[in-house]
């Protein structure tokens, strides 16, 4: 799908790195999210293992702390398809019907969403209630600042030719997506 860039290694096709560009009309719009995936030896019987690269942003920009209830600073990605969250019956990984593409679409459509506040465990029933409007808006504001601190970290590091963890194979994409006026120039 658009906004997803996959890189793998010729010698290790079981490992790949993915750059997700935050979807428009979300607090993640145009921010970079890097995740690593490993296909276990019994794949597709077992789901891929995943790691989220979280970068500490500027504390004055709200860059410290989680950027999403499903994405942890220690790299954990909480998603039923990955087996890291129970979810409802039938939402987990199935060797017969689950794919890596489905995993990517789930990360875009279920994690990097317009109102991530409601991804917090037990908050989904509050969606649409008057009492949740303000907390959700405040969460979005904080999330927007944190996601943009990811963008600032990635662009500054790339511009200085330094490497953030996870960006090693994606610097050309960062330059093209955010810095090159001939590209989408997402800044």
């Amino acid at each position: 799908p658009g906004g997803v860039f996959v890189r793998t290694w010729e010698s290790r096709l079981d490992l790949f790195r993915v750059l997700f560009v935050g979807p428009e009309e979300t607090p993640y719009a145009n921010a970079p999210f890097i995740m690593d995936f490993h296909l276990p030896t019994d794949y597709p019987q077992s789901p891929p293992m995943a790691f989220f690269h979280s970068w500490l942003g500027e504390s004055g920009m709200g860059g410290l702390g989680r950027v999403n209830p499903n994405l942890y600073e220690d790299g954990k990605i909480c998603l039923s398809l990955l087996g890291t969250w129970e979810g409802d019956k039938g939402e987990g990984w199935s060797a017969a019907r689950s794919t890596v593409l489905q995993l990517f679409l789930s990360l875009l459509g279920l994690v990097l969403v317009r109102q991530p506040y409601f991804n917090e465990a037990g908050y989904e029933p509050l969606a649409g209630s008057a009492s949740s409007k303000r907390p959700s808006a405040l969460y979005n504001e904080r999330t927007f600042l944190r996601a943009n601190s990811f963008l600032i970290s990635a662009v500054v590091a790339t511009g200085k030719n330094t490497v953030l963890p996870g960006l090693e194979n994606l610097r050309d994409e960062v330059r093209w997506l955010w810095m090159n006026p001939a590209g989408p120039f997402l800044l």
Side-chain angles (χ1 to χ4, degrees):
V4 178
F5 299 83
V6 180
R7 296 293 173 264
T8 190
W9 291 261
E10 287 183 26
S11 62
R12 292 290 308 270
L13 295 178
D14 61 325
L15 299 175
F16 47 100
R17 177 159 291 155
V18 181
L19 165 64
F20 292 90
V21 177
E24 292 292 328
E25 298 182 21
T26 71
Y28 308 105
N30 299 324
F33 295 89
I34 309 260
M35 298 179 200
D36 289 337
F37 297 90
H38 172 252
L39 302 178
T41 55
D42 65 342
Y43 175 83
Q45 299 307 312
S46 296
M49 291 179 279
F51 182 85
F52 165 62
H53 288 275
S54 180
W55 304 313
L56 292 179
E58 298 295 322
S59 60
M61 281 201 50
L64 303 175
R66 284 174 44 200
V67 72
N68 184 284
N70 302 82
L71 304 174
Y72 290 76
E73 290 178 296
D74 66 359
K76 181 180 178 181
I77 301 171
C78 197
L79 191 66
S80 56
L81 201 55
L82 290 170
T84 52
W85 172 256
E86 281 188 33
D88 293 331
K89 186 178 179 182
E91 288 182 353
W93 184 265
S94 164
R97 66 178 191 281
S98 300
T99 66
V100 172
L101 176 60
Q102 178 188 13
L103 176 59
F104 294 168
L105 292 173
S106 293
L107 288 163
L108 284 172
L110 298 174
V111 175
L112 301 176
V113 294
R114 216 175 265 201
Q115 294 183 307
Y117 177 78
F118 301 108
N119 282 14
E120 195 68 61
Y123 286 24
E124 189 176 355
L126 301 174
S129 71
S131 64
S132 66
K133 276 188 175 182
R134 181 165 170 75
S136 178
L138 291 171
Y139 192 98
N140 271 17
E141 189 173 307
R142 201 169 41 253
T143 297
F144 173 79
L145 293 172
R146 288 178 182 158
N148 278 281
S149 76
F150 280 19
L151 175 56
I152 291 167
S153 297
V155 169
V156 167
T158 301
K160 290 181 178 179
N161 252 354
T162 58
V163 179
L164 282 175
L167 272 182
E168 297 88 353
N169 298 12
L170 295 163
R171 282 191 279 182
D172 290 342
E173 286 76 8
V174 169
R175 283 187 181 103
W176 181 74
L177 286 165
W178 286 281
M179 302 165 76
N180 186 341
F185 202 56
L186 299 176
L187 275 180

